[in-house]
Amino acid sequence: ISALSTIANHGVRMKPYLVSSVIDEDETIEFEPQQIANPISAETADTVAAMLRSVVRKGDGSAIFAQYLPDYDVAGKTGTAQIPYKDRAGYYDDRINTTFVGFAPVDGPHMIMLIRLEEPGLGQYAATTVVPVWIDTFNKIAGDLQIPKQIVPN
């Protein structure tokens, strides 16, 4: 998440935090965003973000994104990994983990989310296993996070 957030933030790595403030009856403590590094240039980060946008628009999961998130500009990447044997070298032929990590909107992100499914059993590829779960979750939180709908060019 931190690495992809750096790409989404034009090459600036921010200190991760889970809450923006802590409030009790006596005081409120606000946590301000803190830049901790600048590991890649803005130009490189923006180039990678454009590639990740292309993954969503033209990659294996593009049809499902076009059908269920036609009005959102999303960048992301799928992952499919075989599960290794515990007692010897090599991998199971029929056991996988799948992931999708994405952010939206691409220009000025409001959110980033990673979903990982362990041995989903529904197929062998992230595009057909975890991407639908990511999209369903995104649709449930997009309004709360005030993610703007956009005209998404092909």
Side-chain angles (χ1 to χ4, degrees), residues 97-112:
N97 293 326
T98 59
T99 59
F100 185 80
V101 60
F103 60 90
V106 178
D107 299 319
H110 289 221
M111 62 75 70
I112 185 168

Side-chain angles (χ1 to χ4, degrees), residues 133-153:
V133 176
W134 194 96
I135 289 171
D136 186 51
T137 305
F138 178 90
N139 274 322
K140 289 181 170 127
I141 65 173
D144 292 339
L145 296 176
Q146 299 176 347
I147 298 172
K149 291 186 177 186
Q150 300 173 274
I151 297 172
V152 179

Side-chain angles (χ1 to χ4, degrees), residues 36-52:
I36 58 174
N38 195 257
I40 60 175
S41 70
E43 180 181 29
T44 299
D46 293 347
T47 298
V48 175
M51 292 174 181
L52 295 170

